[in-house]
């Protein structure tokens, strides 16, 4: 177990370094720079190149314009180790870690609610479809679920706004925070999750239901629902956890479209804006944070996996 | 978003105000959307500087209702010396900061020093608004800002007493008070800003002299304002509070929020504007202001010298059917000058005519009869819309040439437009520009003498010029001198004449003569056809019937909150 954890942590550290290096190099290769882009997008007076040069010259951060690239990277990483990413270019009064601390709980709470709702709906749907395989219940459930998957969440979000804001006036179109403000974004995020999860549960259940021990349990006179709930579902949940973990992590790091449509100050929106604006510290900080969240989620899933199924061990290479 | 706009009409009775709106509405409160801003510093180029000007801080003067004149604000009056070069502002007696301290001339002088400090007092980490300085022509200001002058006492800004602020100009400029309405000229409280260099902007620390003060602010979410009771003209402030919801990027559902009663004022994007104008109820709530923004094309420098021929550029300018392009949108008017029609003394006689016959003749003279052999013309831009599509389509058809929109990411755009393009790329970059309606701005600031002269150089000279610009081994004074010399030697004759005419205008102490010379300069610049005007773009807002006293202004400010009442 300790050995397993140790090697996984080594892998996480190496991956974070790789992610940061790739992000940094890509950002250097990208055309344009923060000051130039800011000038165009903030509707400011257009400067001549010489004036622009002055403006960039004044652009004093811990990375001056004369500091060579490799030094900028090392300077950033030096801070990053201590969870100090420095101030964002765009939000000079806020440090990147402060922005993450503000925006992550917003994205994470949306994600948790969406995934919780999705699980609550998807599991029964998947089980019913599997148990009633090849009946109209199975077909209609899977039809609905597939349609839900095909409809992108941002389009679904707009349909929701048209119905609940424009026509019925029940919910506000956008804003944060607030219970009413949360309903539509959560619903929009949950829909595709329901689709993915229900299909997963169904497939997994079908496989389990064909297993010998289920047949045996039934033959021994176990009630159908008891067998399904106690034996089949529990065993089907193991592969299910594999997808829920990383899925939750992906949603937690923010969803650009949903946050943008509903004007939610989540991490996804900051990340997208940072990339567009070439806000190096914010983009680097967010990317490293995303990478960490994803890898930690995967690690937790792997641990949970091993606890649920003792047959998978904590081998030195991490088992499977 | 057109889908939403048109699809939505079927779902609800237009103009219906539902439960959400009625509950949130209360007399004296205003709810709006505002584009997000990272800082409230008026000396940093962000939306925050406009927000500060609209509600939180009050400059020496503000824009009057017509949008074309300066009216007393923090200064109760000003006097101009006989030579037109010295302005003496008398601060309003009894006007105070929100902490009770009087607003003094020293406060203004301190703020302007902060603005002109080479590091940019408020900028430090981002883009400073001091780029706006050159058109003000305050003695020594630009030199101090660029580091050539280090003695602040030589800059023409002096507080002679607590109430008197003297500003000395290099040349007479009758429009000077009007130029002072820019956010970068707003005062800041020196004691506060020195004590809390970053956190002075937070509501709990705020000390301002404007009609409103912030009471709560969450970046990227919302800002709430309350009327500032210590404001000298508090009795005439119509609102008790303002709640602005902040959004990043584009908020496509803004018009829907307005219709469901969540906000009282909303800026209308094109698709919604068309829908609103077609609706009998909503159309009555649309207000607009024109002449704030000009859409233009600026020539790209290229290894292919075809556009270095002024006759070719003229042909392209004359062959642009602006009427037809403007018809594609209710928000645009044909813009046949770089100077917008909102300026006093604007004359349509200076318009570039639409003359396809002469255009074709010019192209033929240049060796491209009926457009034959003319390379594909590219328009570098960051996004496209119906007007852009119409521009490319109509232009190409009129002159029988190919015109293509080259839509690129913003980072690519900002870099590529200064580069020398390869042999196969000839064309223009598309841009929009909005500012205060003064002749000094429109005839001499953007597309100003230096800028125009840079554009008039041949591609190879431009490349050499950029080399000097990027030479960090040069001292500021040395570099400026070298650049000036290079420009004088390599810019086109017309561009230099334009610069000379601008200078002559600024020498004149007679306001009428000055304006006429600036107009003349603008005409000379126009006839270089380095920049081709395309459209005048107006701003359109929907305003709830309960909201009164909104006075839309051209340019970035949109409107002052002070005069607005609700309910």
């Amino acid at each position: 177990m300790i050995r397993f954890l140790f090697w996984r942590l080594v892998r996480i550290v190496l991956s974070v370094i790789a992610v940061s290096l790739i992000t940094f190099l890509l950002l250097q290769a990208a055309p344009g720079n923060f000051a130039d882009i800011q000038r165009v997008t903030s509707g400011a007076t257009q400067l001549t190149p010489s004036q622009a040069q002055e403006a960039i010259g004044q652009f004093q951060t811990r990375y001056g314009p004369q500091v060579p690239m490799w030094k900028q990277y090392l300077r950033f990483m030096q801070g990053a180790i201590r969870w100090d990413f420095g101030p964002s270019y765009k939000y000079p009064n806020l440090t990147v870690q402060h922005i993450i601390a503000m925006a992550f709980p917003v994205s994470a709470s949306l994600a948790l609610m969406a995934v919780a709702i999705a699980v609550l709906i998807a599991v029964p749907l998947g089980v019913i479809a599997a148990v009633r395989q090849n009946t109209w219940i199975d077909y209609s459930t899977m039809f609905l679920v597939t349609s839900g998957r095909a409809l992108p969440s941002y389009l679904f979000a707009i349909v929701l706004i048209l119905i609940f804001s424009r026509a019925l006036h029940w919910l506000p179109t956008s804003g944060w925070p607030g219970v009413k403000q949360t309903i539509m974004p959560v619903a929009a995020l949950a829909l595709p999750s329901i689709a993915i999860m229900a299909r997963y549960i169904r497939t997994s259940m079908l496989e389990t239901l064909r297993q010998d021990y289920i047949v045996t349990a039934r033959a021994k006179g176990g009630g159908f629902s008891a067998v399904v709930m106690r034996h089949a579902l529990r065993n089907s949940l193991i592969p299910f956890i594999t997808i829920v973990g990383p899925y939750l992590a992906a949603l937690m790091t923010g969803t650009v479209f949903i946050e943008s449509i509903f004007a939610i100050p989540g991490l996804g929106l900051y990340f997208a804006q940072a990339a567009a604006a070439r806000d190096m510290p914010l983009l680097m900080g967010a990317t490293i944070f995303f990478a960490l969240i994803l890898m930690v989620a995967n690690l937790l899933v792997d641990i949970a996996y091993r606890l649920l199924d003792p047959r998978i061990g904590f081998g030195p290479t991490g088992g499977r | 978003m057109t889908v939403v706009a048109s699809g939505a009409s079927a779902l609800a009775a237009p103009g219906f105000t539902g439960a959400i709106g009625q509950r949130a509405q209360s007399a004296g409160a205003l709810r709006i959307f505002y584009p997000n801003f990272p800082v409230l510093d008026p000396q940093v180029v962000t939306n925050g500087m406009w927000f500060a000007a609209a509600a939180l801080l009050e400059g020496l003067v503000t824009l009057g209702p017509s949008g074309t004149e300066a009216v007393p604000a923090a200064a109760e009056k000003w006097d101009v010396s006989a030579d037109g070069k010295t302005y003496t502002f008398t601060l309003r007696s009894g006007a105070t900061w929100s902490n009770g301290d009087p607003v003094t001339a020293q406060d203004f002088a301190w703020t302007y020093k902060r603005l002109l400090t080479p590091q940019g007092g408020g900028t430090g980490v981002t883009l400073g608004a001091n780029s706006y300085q050159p058109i003000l022509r305050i003695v020594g200001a630009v030199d101090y800002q660029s580091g050539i002058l280090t003695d602040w006492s030589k800059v023409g800004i002096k507080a002679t007493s607590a109430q008197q602020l003297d500003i000395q100009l290099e040349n007479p400029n009758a429009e000077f008070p009007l130029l002072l309405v820019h956010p970068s000229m707003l005062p800041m409280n020196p004691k506060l800003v020195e004590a809390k260099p970053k956190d002075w902007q937070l509501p709990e620390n705020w000390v301002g002299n404007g009609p409103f003060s912030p009471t709560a602010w969450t970046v990227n979410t919302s800002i709430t304002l309350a009327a500032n009771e210590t404001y000298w003209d508090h009795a005439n402030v119509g609102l008790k509070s303002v709640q602005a919801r902040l959004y990043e990027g584009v908020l496509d559902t803004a018009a829907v929020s307005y219709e469901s009663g969540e906000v009282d004022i909303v800026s209308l994007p094109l698709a919604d504007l068309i829908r609103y104008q077609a609706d009998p109820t909503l159309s009555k709530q649309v207000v607009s202001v024109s002449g704030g923004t000009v859409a233009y094309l600026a020539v790209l420098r290229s290894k292919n010298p075809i556009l270095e021929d002024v006759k070719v550029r003229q042909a392209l300018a004359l062959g642009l059917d602006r009427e037809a392009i403007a018809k594609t949108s209710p928000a645009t008017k044909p813009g046949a000058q770089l100077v917008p029609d909102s300026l006093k003394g604007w004359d349509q006689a200076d318009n570039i005519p639409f003359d396809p016959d002469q255009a074709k003749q010019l192209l033929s003279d240049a060796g491209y009869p009926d457009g034959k052999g003319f390379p594909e013309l590219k328009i570098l831009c960051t996004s496209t819309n119906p007007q852009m599509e119409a521009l490319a389509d109509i232009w190409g058809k009129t002159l029988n040439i190919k015109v293509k929109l080259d839509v690129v990411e913003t980072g690519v755009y900002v870099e590529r437009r200064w580069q020398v393009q390869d042999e196969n790329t000839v064309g223009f970059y598309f841009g929009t520009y909005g500012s205060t309606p003064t002749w000094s701005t429109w005839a001499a600031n953007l597309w100003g003498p230096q800028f125009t002269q840079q554009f008039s150089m041949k591609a190879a000279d431009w490349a050499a010029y950029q080399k000097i610009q990027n030479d960090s081994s040069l001292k500021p004074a040395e570099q400026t001198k070298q650049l000036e010399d290079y420009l004088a030697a390599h810019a086109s004759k017309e561009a230099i004449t334009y610069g000379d005419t601008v200078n002559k205008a600024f020498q004149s102490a007679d306001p009428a003569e000055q304006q006429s010379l600036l107009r003349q300069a603008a005409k000379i610049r126009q006839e270089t056809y380095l920049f081709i005007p395309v459209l005048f773009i107006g701003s359109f807002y929907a305003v709830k019937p309960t909201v009164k006293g909104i006075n839309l202004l051209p340019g970035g400010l949109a409107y002052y909150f002070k005069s607005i009442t609700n309910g």
Side-chain angles (χ1 to χ4, degrees):
Chain A
M1 171 80 176
I2 287 168
R3 227 179 121 139
F4 165 79
L5 275 181
F6 172 78
W7 284 112
R8 284 298 291 260
L9 288 176
V10 168
R11 247 163 67 179
I12 287 179
V13 169
L14 290 177
S15 307
V16 166
I17 293 172
V19 163
S20 69
L21 202 57
I22 292 169
T23 312
F24 187 81
L25 289 175
L26 283 177
L27 194 57
Q28 297 301 322
N33 60 58
F34 175 76
D36 276 347
I37 292 174
Q38 195 65 6
R39 210 167 55 239
V40 171
T41 53
S42 64
T45 310
Q46 267 187 324
L47 308 184
T48 62
S50 62
Q51 288 170 311
Q53 220 76 61
E54 279 163 29
I56 296 162
Q58 293 165 7
F59 183 69
Q60 282 195 324
T61 59
R62 60 167 90 175
Y63 326 94
Q66 65 289 350
V67 176
M69 226 172 81
W70 60 270
K71 239 184 188 164
Q72 286 189 30
Y73 175 74
L74 287 184
R75 217 173 267 191
F76 178 85
M77 290 308 283
Q78 244 170 16
I81 292 167
R82 288 171 280 119
W83 201 246
D84 171 16
F85 301 111
S88 141
Y89 288 170
K90 180 166 175 186
Y91 299 89
N93 292 345
L94 298 177
T95 58
V96 171
Q97 59 271 25
H98 185 137
I99 293 176
I100 292 176
M102 277 192 321
F104 178 64
V106 173
S107 297
S109 59
L110 281 183
L112 281 172
M113 283 187 271
V115 169
I117 288 169
V119 168
L120 287 178
I121 296 175
V123 172
L125 276 184
V127 170
I128 292 168
V131 172
R132 298 268 176 266
Q133 196 197 0
N134 297 333
T135 65
W136 66 270
I137 299 180
D138 181 24
Y139 294 143
S140 50
T141 314
M142 281 305 115
F143 174 76
L144 280 175
V145 157
T146 313
S147 318
R149 178 86 192 97
L151 188 66
S153 60
Y154 58 86
L155 197 60
F156 184 55
I158 285 170
V159 172
L160 288 176
I161 291 173
L162 287 180
I163 298 171
F164 294 101
S165 298
R166 182 123 208 302
L168 298 171
H169 297 283
W170 286 354
L171 299 171
T173 45
S174 60
W176 189 264
V179 176
K180 280 191 163 185
Q181 279 80 356
T182 316
I183 297 173
M184 288 196 288
V186 167
L189 283 178
L191 182 79
S193 323
I194 292 171
I196 295 174
M197 290 177 193
R199 286 174 64 89
Y200 216 89
I201 284 282
R202 176 179 175 272
T203 317
S204 173
M205 273 296 279
L206 285 175
E207 211 176 295
T208 318
L209 285 172
R210 286 194 203 100
Q211 298 290 322
D212 290 345
Y213 66 89
I214 297 290
V215 179
T216 314
R218 283 284 282 153
K220 280 167 74 180
F224 180 68
S225 56
V227 170
V228 168
M229 297 307 289
R230 204 174 301 157
H231 301 284
L233 181 58
R234 184 178 288 181
N235 281 301
S236 304
L237 282 181
I238 295 174
F240 182 62
I241 286 170
T242 333
I243 62 150
V244 173
Y247 198 80
L248 183 63
L251 283 188
M252 277 168 116
T253 50
T255 46
V256 180
F257 288 121
I258 295 300
E259 287 174 7
S260 166
I261 289 171
F262 293 104
I264 294 167
L267 206 48
L269 198 51
Y270 277 103
F271 178 70
Q273 299 283 341
R278 315 279 192 269
D279 185 343
M280 192 274 273
L282 184 52
L283 187 68
M284 290 282 286
T287 315
I288 289 174
F289 182 71
F290 288 0
L292 278 176
I293 290 279
L294 261 174
M295 286 186 285
V296 169
N298 274 322
L299 178 62
L300 291 179
V301 164
D302 282 356
I303 292 172
Y305 223 65
R306 282 158 178 78
L307 295 178
L308 281 173
D309 188 349
R311 283 171 299 176
I312 310 164
F314 290 101
T317 54
R320 355 187 329 159
Chain B
M1 277 307 85
T2 327
V3 183
V4 182
S6 54
S9 334
L11 287 168
F16 173 77
T17 304
I20 318 162
Q22 279 162 359
R23 203 171 319 138
Q25 239 160 7
S26 68
L30 185 77
R31 297 153 311 150
I32 56 169
F33 284 119
Y34 209 86
N36 183 40
F37 40 81
V39 288
L40 268 174
D41 194 325
Q43 299 184 354
V44 178
V45 180
T46 66
N47 292 309
M49 74 178 190
W50 296 110
F51 193 76
L56 302 174
L57 295 168
E58 191 177 69
L60 294 167
V61 295
T62 53
L63 265 184
S66 71
T68 54
E69 82 220 317
V71 296
E76 60 189 4
K77 66 176 181 99
W78 60 89
D79 302 294
V80 194
S81 64
D83 64 358
K85 288 192 191 175
T86 306
Y87 279 75
T88 303
F89 291 89
T90 307
L91 294 206
R92 194 172 292 280
S93 59
T96 63
W97 294 97
S98 50
N99 64 358
D101 291 350
V103 178
T104 65
Q106 283 86 357
D107 295 341
F108 275 92
W110 180 91
T111 310
Y112 295 164
K113 186 179 178 188
R114 178 183 188 259
L115 177 70
L116 294 172
T117 300
Q119 301 302 353
T123 64
V125 283
T126 184
L127 189 68
N130 49 12
S131 60
Y132 171 77
Q133 281 302 310
I135 45 166
L136 293 180
R137 299 184 165 250
I138 296 171
V139 167
V142 173
D143 284 349
Y144 188 81
Q145 185 187 314
S146 60
I148 295 171
L149 181 67
T150 51
D151 182 359
W152 175 251
S153 69
K154 296 219 165 84
V155 179
I157 298 173
K158 275 182 195 63
T160 52
S161 73
Q163 302 246 244
Q164 301 266 318
L165 182 74
D166 280 2
I167 299 184
Q168 241 190 317
L169 307 184
E170 282 165 8
N171 325 104
N173 182 358
E175 291 176 320
F176 181 70
L178 193 50
L179 290 169
L180 289 180
V181 304
H182 192 271
S184 62
M185 304 310 283
L186 295 171
M188 301 169 78
N189 187 286
K191 263 195 263 169
L192 170 72
V193 178
E194 274 173 355
K196 301 190 164 78
K198 273 185 177 179
D199 292 343
W200 62 266
Q201 322 172 24
L202 302 178
E204 58 266 33
N205 299 329
W206 183 264
V207 177
N209 75 329
F212 296 90
S213 297
T215 52
W217 177 27
T218 312
V219 169
N220 233 339
T221 308
S222 66
I223 187 164
T224 313
L225 312 180
N228 169 12
E229 285 170 13
T230 64
Y231 176 59
W232 66 271
D233 203 15
H234 176 63
N236 288 318
V237 175
L239 294 167
K240 290 197 193 90
S241 67
V242 177
Q243 212 223 340
R245 277 158 61 177
L246 307 172
Y247 63 93
E248 263 294 350
V250 187
L251 191 62
D252 291 316
T253 55
V256 177
S257 311
Y258 173 82
E259 285 156 68
S260 63
E262 291 170 53
V263 287
D264 304 308
I265 301 174
V266 74
S267 157
L268 290 173
L270 184 62
D272 291 303
L273 175 60
I274 295 170
R275 179 168 62 91
Y276 272 50
Q277 285 185 334
D279 183 291
T281 313
L282 290 175
S283 59
K284 294 199 192 92
Q285 299 171 14
V286 176
V287 293
S288 69
V289 65
S290 70
T293 306
V294 169
Y296 67 94
L297 299 166
V299 72
L300 290 171
R301 281 148 287 212
S302 168
K303 283 190 182 143
N304 186 332
I306 184 163
L307 291 183
E308 284 175 9
D309 181 352
V310 64
K311 295 281 169 206
V312 173
R313 297 197 302 266
Q314 188 186 1
L316 294 172
L318 293 175
L320 193 57
D321 188 354
R322 295 171 179 81
E323 288 280 349
I325 299 165
K327 272 191 196 132
T328 55
S329 156
T332 55
K333 290 194 291 187
Q337 284 183 44
L338 290 169
V339 177
D341 55 357
S342 53
L343 262 66
K344 269 185 194 159
W346 182 88
D347 195 331
Q348 64 170 14
D350 295 348
N351 277 1
I352 299 177
F354 171 54
D355 190 342
D357 296 332
Q358 202 197 337
K360 280 181 188 156
Q361 187 56 51
L362 283 165
L363 269 190
S364 172
D365 294 347
Y368 308 100
D370 200 28
K372 264 188 210 101
F374 198 83
E376 182 182 72
L377 207 58
K378 288 205 176 105
I379 299 176
L380 186 70
C381 51
T382 53
S383 62
T384 169
N385 57 38
Q387 295 90 274
M388 303 280 302
E389 303 283 350
L391 165 67
D393 188 49
I394 294 169
W395 211 9
K397 276 189 186 137
T398 313
L399 297 174
N400 203 24
I401 57 174
K402 260 196 204 147
V403 184
K404 195 187 146 204
L405 295 178
D406 190 6
V407 186
V408 296
E409 196 260 353
T410 311
V412 179
Y413 173 86
V414 295
E415 201 163 282
R416 205 184 281 171
R417 60 185 182 154
W418 302 133
Q419 284 169 351
V420 175
Q421 317 293 316
D422 62 39
E423 281 289 337
N424 300 320
T425 309
V426 289
F428 299 84
Y429 71 76
F430 177 85
T432 57
Y433 177 61
S435 194
T436 8
T438 67
W439 280 94
S440 357
T441 318
W442 288 96
N445 190 27
L446 174 67
W447 323 294
Q450 198 193 22
F451 193 72
T452 307
Q453 285 160 13
Q454 287 171 355
F455 270 76
S456 75
M457 285 191 285
K458 297 204 180 317
D461 296 338
W462 166 243
Y465 183 83
Q466 278 185 309
K467 241 184 215 151
I468 308 175
Q469 277 185 329
N470 296 331
D471 187 347
S472 52
S473 69
L474 294 170
K475 289 208 177 69
E478 220 178 312
Q479 191 174 33
T480 308
K481 173 90 178 49
Q482 282 198 22
L483 288 171
E484 276 170 8
D485 290 350
Y486 196 90
L487 213 51
H490 297 88
S492 79
K493 229 177 27 205
E494 295 75 18
I496 285 170
T497 312
Y498 160 59
D500 292 345
T501 315
V502 167
N503 282 338
K504 209 165 121 199
F506 284 132
Q507 300 303 329
S508 168
D510 173 18
E513 188 189 42
Q514 188 169 66
Q515 184 183 310
S516 133
L517 281 167
L518 283 173
R519 188 182 145 196
Q520 199 183 317
K523 185 102 199 289
I524 298 169
R525 174 185 63 191
Q526 180 162 296
E527 283 165 4
T528 64
Y529 303 105
L530 293 164
F531 317 108
I532 300 178
V534 185
L535 297 166
F536 294 153
I537 304 171
S539 319
F540 290 76
Y541 289 82
V543 178
K544 290 279 178 210
T546 54
V547 176
K548 308 273 186 240
I550 184 167
N551 183 41
L552 289 185
L553 302 164
L557 188 62
Y559 51 85
Y560 289 110
F561 293 11
K562 182 181 165 181
S563 62
I564 297 175
T565 61
N566 190 13

